[in-house]
Amino acid sequence: MKDVNKKSGCWRIGCFSFVVVPILIAVSAFFYFRSSYVLPDKFVLSVPIQGNLDEVHSLSSSLPLLSSAEPLSFQDLLFLFDHAAGDKRIGSILLEIGGVHANPAKLTELRYSIEKMKASGKKVVAFLRSAEDSDYLLATACDSIVVEEGGFLMLDGLKAETLFYTKSLNKIGITFQASQWKTYKSGIEPFVRTGASSEYLEQIGELLDDVYDDYLGYASKRRGISRDSLQAVIDNMALLSAKKAVQLGLADGIASSWALNRSLAGKITGREPERGDDVMVSAERYRDSVEPNYNADGRDAIALITLSGPIYRSGGASGMGVAEGFDEKLLQRSLEVALDNRDVKALVLRIDSPGGDALASADMLEMLYFAAKKKPIVVSMSGVAASGGYMAALAGNKIFAEPLTITGSIGVYALKPEISGLVEKTGLQREVVTRGRYADATSLFKPLDKDAYDKFVAASGDVYHDFVSKVATSRKMRWAAADSVAGGRVWSGKRALQAGLIDSLGGLHDAIREAQILGKIDKTKKPRILFYPERKSWMESLAEGDFSGFSRSVTIALKQRLIHELVPEGQSSSITAFYDMLMVSGQLHLIAALPGEVVIR
């Protein structure tokens, strides 16, 4: 009996090891990870700012078993800086700026955030390695600029570049028929022209003028030099060594990363830094310690719905593309959850989109109109809210944009490719049997005849007139007045304000404050921010048994990784913008999208 009890007792060594040891490991792991969230009483916050400053993270861009090395998203930075401004534990902030390729409006909004941290008494130091104009412009918002020893500044100004594919495609037998509403809607030009139109040159010139004026004015004022002096550096020198930059007053010091970190850490500890000192806190660690909701008060919440990337139709070609976008179902799910949540008192629609499918954009606007009847909506335009992206903004009770936000482009275009020349060159034979006059009218293998082309153009015109009517109704304009600021014209945020397309200049936090007022949330309290849509990583999809979501995430990630390996970073976005239209669907699409983008490098 004793032997039986010994064998069946749960306190024998084998059973003890099986049950208790995993518990001890789990408890140890819990306290280990929990300790990483506990911050020192005084520290330096180190924040890397680099890359394209994507509005939000694309969780499906990471591949299983491979790290994504994805930088902080733009919204990560905005909320992190806002919280850091009031955090008394932070002695100073180190911004490691490099390789920023961002829309001018995003740089402006980040500058305001940096200035807010400085106003709270924080010392903000910019560390530049081999910096370009965008890096330097952002750095000038800081208290001081330190250039890496051996580094340089490449300050060579701004440019706008467009590739024209017409002749190249014609050589292999591919041509396009186009419908354009109206002359400023220049998205068709790379495929039907061999050079830019006067309308394109006019509006891109105005955008560059606004951006360049802001660059010269802001950077020269912050550095205490004349505007002419900065322009002379750009026009006559362009490439400056770190030493020369300090001599000209463009920077304050030269140091290695190691030396700068030790210097900042020493100012916190009051002594020579030692191994084990926990005074340099990374942005990721800081973000994880202050989330969720950055010390919000009470239960009242604001739903922040981010519409980022190209707009697609649900179930359309987007699933085959290389870039994640936004479709009607994604918006529908976000709105349903936000409207059903009684704690949500108002919505902020954050838009960073060049537009896309015209009909999908119209569907989204109808959903947003419905939501606005239930709860107030405030729109915050980020880097770009154009075409279909601007259409979605029309549902807002109030629309905010940054002075350099690319806005408008109210217009429609359609492209119809045909490959009859390629077919002839390759000797491909084709037999078609149809029932119905237009059954084969939109085939890739032949151009549209006159009757079909007229219908093609008329359909584009109908969509354009509907778009302008929506603008006129929402912005309380006459149709002719709305048409006068439409026609595919692109406006900077400050010009859009003058044209009546937006209500006020401001950033995301301005929109959140306005939503707090419209939602009747106590001004003395900080509302919770609920982020939508909730994006699932490939691991979450797999854990929940969503194998289609897992497959889709991995497919997109593979294509993103491939195209960024093959194509320079600065050119990949222009390729993805036309990927679905040219390489996947082969169908007619009515497009309400910005024809290009303006990025400071």
Side-chain angles (χ1 to χ4, degrees):
M1 192 69 171
K2 290 181 180 180
D3 292 338
V4 172
N5 287 335
K6 283 181 181 179
K7 291 180 181 179
S8 61
C10 197
W11 289 103
R12 56 191 177 153
I13 302 239
C15 187
F16 178 84
S17 300
F18 181 76
V19 175
V20 177
V21 171
I23 293 176
L24 291 176
I25 293 174
V27 171
S28 300
F30 169 79
F31 283 104
Y32 172 79
F33 288 110
R34 184 175 182 272
S35 67
S36 67
Y37 295 148
V38 178
L39 301 177
D41 295 332
K42 203 75 173 176
F43 60 89
V44 177
L45 178 61
S46 177
V47 183
I49 303 179
Q50 57 190 342
N52 297 326
L53 299 185
D54 293 331
E55 185 69 26
V56 291
H57 276 310
S58 170
L59 292 180
S60 65
S61 65
S62 61
L63 286 166
L65 307 180
L66 292 177
S67 62
S68 64
E70 196 168 25
L72 294 173
S73 74
F74 186 61
Q75 286 188 19
D76 283 338
L77 293 171
L78 292 180
F79 282 102
L80 185 146
F81 286 174
D82 183 65
H83 190 273
D87 194 332
K88 296 181 179 180
R89 297 171 298 178
I90 299 176
S92 57
I93 299 166
L94 173 63
L95 302 183
E96 299 184 66
I97 304 171
V100 175
H101 304 149
N103 182 285
K106 291 187 175 182
L107 297 180
T108 302
E109 195 165 2
L110 273 186
R111 281 163 19 195
Y112 292 153
S113 295
I114 293 170
E115 289 169 359
K116 182 179 178 181
M117 291 192 293
K118 288 165 49 184
S120 70
K122 306 288 189 297
K123 182 176 177 61
V124 185
V125 179
F127 181 65
L128 301 177
R129 289 185 167 85
S130 297
E132 298 183 84
D133 294 275
S134 57
D135 306 318
Y136 184 71
L137 174 58
L138 191 56
T140 58
C142 302
D143 290 295
S144 60
I145 299 175
V146 177
V147 183
E148 184 178 37
E149 190 170 353
F152 60 84
L153 301 184
M154 173 65 82
L155 307 182
D156 55 357
L158 312 180
K159 72 174 182 179
E161 182 178 10
T162 302
L163 296 177
F164 290 84
Y165 313 108
T166 306
K167 285 186 176 180
S168 299
L169 292 173
N170 287 352
K171 287 182 178 180
I172 59 173
I174 299 176
T175 61
F176 287 84
Q177 292 172 293
S179 172
Q180 177 188 28
W181 290 80
K182 295 183 179 177
T183 54
Y184 285 88
K185 197 67 178 177
S186 55
I188 65 170
E189 292 186 5
F191 301 94
V192 298
R193 294 177 61 98
T194 57
S197 66
S198 59
E199 290 84 2
Y200 171 81
L201 294 175
E202 174 192 333
Q203 62 182 1
I204 201 66
E206 289 178 350
L207 284 174
L208 283 180
D209 285 343
D210 286 347
V211 175
Y212 197 47
D213 180 67
D214 173 79
Y215 176 17
L216 294 176
Y218 185 86
S220 61
K221 182 178 180 180
R222 289 289 308 132
R223 294 307 304 172
I225 61 177
S226 71
R227 180 189 176 105
D228 290 342
S229 297
L230 178 56
Q231 187 164 358
V233 168
I234 293 171
D235 290 339
N236 301 321
M237 300 181 69
L239 183 63
L240 295 82
S241 66
K243 183 178 180 180
K244 190 65 176 179
V246 172
Q247 290 175 350
L248 294 174
L250 300 176
D252 301 291
I254 303 170
S256 66
S257 176
W258 179 82
L260 180 58
N261 276 266
R262 287 181 62 83
S263 173
L264 293 174
K267 291 177 181 178
I268 296 295
T269 61
R271 55 175 170 75
E272 187 72 15
E274 298 177 0
R275 183 180 179 184
D277 284 343
D278 187 25
V279 292
M280 299 297 296
V281 173
S282 70
E284 291 82 0
R285 178 183 171 190
Y286 183 71
R287 177 195 58 194
D288 293 340
S289 72
V290 298
E291 281 188 329
N293 284 301
Y294 299 91
N295 299 334
D297 304 316
R299 295 194 57 81
D300 287 345
I302 291 172
L304 174 56
I305 300 175
T306 300
L307 195 167
S308 180
I311 294 173
Y312 297 108
R313 293 198 67 80
S314 297
S318 63
M320 301 175 70
V322 297
E324 285 186 295
F326 207 91
D327 65 15
E328 303 109 307
K329 286 186 179 179
L330 202 54
L331 178 62
Q332 181 182 339
R333 288 196 296 268
S334 299
L335 289 175
E336 287 173 347
V337 174
L339 294 177
D340 288 344
N341 189 335
R342 293 184 178 182
D343 293 336
V344 172
K345 306 303 181 185
L347 285 67
V348 170
L349 179 65
R350 176 73 165 181
I351 301 175
D352 188 36
S353 172
D357 188 285
L359 300 181
S361 302
D363 287 346
M364 288 184 182
L365 179 59
E366 290 303 312
M367 295 180 201
L368 290 164
Y369 274 142
F370 174 81
K373 294 177 182 178
K374 305 292 184 181
K375 297 180 181 181
I377 296 178
V378 179
V379 173
S380 171
M381 295 179 173
S382 182
V384 55
S387 295
Y390 178 74
M391 185 186 292
L394 295 174
N397 298 93
K398 190 167 185 178
I399 302 175
F400 286 86
E402 288 291 342
L404 298 178
T405 299
I406 297 176
T407 308
S409 191
I410 301 163
V412 178
Y413 66 84
L415 282 167
K416 194 275 180 187
E418 69 95 2
I419 60 172
S420 58
L422 179 61
V423 169
E424 185 177 349
K425 290 176 183 290
T426 58
L428 181 65
Q429 299 297 314
R430 177 174 179 259
E431 288 289 347
V432 181
V433 179
T434 65
R435 295 294 184 272
R437 181 179 175 185
Y438 298 105
D440 194 43
T442 60
S443 170
L444 280 171
F445 294 91
K446 65 178 184 179
L448 297 170
D449 62 27
K450 184 180 184 308
D451 188 31
Y453 180 74
D454 288 343
K455 295 181 182 299
F456 174 62
V457 173
S460 303
D462 289 342
V463 174
Y464 174 76
H465 281 77
D466 181 64
F467 194 169
V468 175
S469 296
K470 287 179 167 64
V471 174
T473 301
S474 175
R475 302 307 300 169
K476 297 178 173 58
M477 297 177 173
R478 293 180 181 274
W479 196 94
D483 184 45
S484 71
V485 296
R489 289 175 178 83
V490 177
W491 309 90
S492 64
K494 65 179 182 180
R495 294 179 190 261
L497 179 63
Q498 296 168 357
L501 296 177
I502 66 170
D503 297 299
S504 185
L505 297 177
L508 177 57
H509 292 295
D510 297 301
I512 290 173
R513 283 190 289 270
E514 182 67 20
Q516 188 169 356
I517 294 171
L518 295 180
K520 299 179 181 179
I521 300 174
D522 188 343
K523 293 181 182 179
T524 64
K525 293 185 177 181
K526 187 175 183 180
R528 292 185 297 144
I529 307 297
L530 305 181
F531 298 89
Y532 300 103
E534 297 176 331
R535 296 178 179 243
K536 295 179 182 179
S537 68
W538 61 267
M539 184 174 289
E540 289 171 326
S541 297
L542 196 59
E544 295 177 7
D546 181 6
F547 297 105
S548 63
F550 169 75
S551 176
R552 182 169 56 254
S553 296
V554 172
T555 299
I556 293 173
L558 284 169
K559 289 180 179 179
Q560 287 175 334
R561 185 67 64 95
L562 178 62
I563 197 168
H564 284 289
E565 289 292 331
L566 298 176
V567 182
E569 183 177 10
Q571 298 178 25
S572 61
S573 59
S574 62
I575 289 177
T576 53
F578 295 104
Y579 181 88
D580 288 325
M581 182 173 57
L582 298 180
M583 302 299 291
V584 178
S585 69
Q587 300 174 1
L588 292 177
H589 290 281
L590 295 175
I591 307 295
L594 189 70
E597 58 188 343
V598 175
V599 175
I600 298 182
R601 297 193 60 173

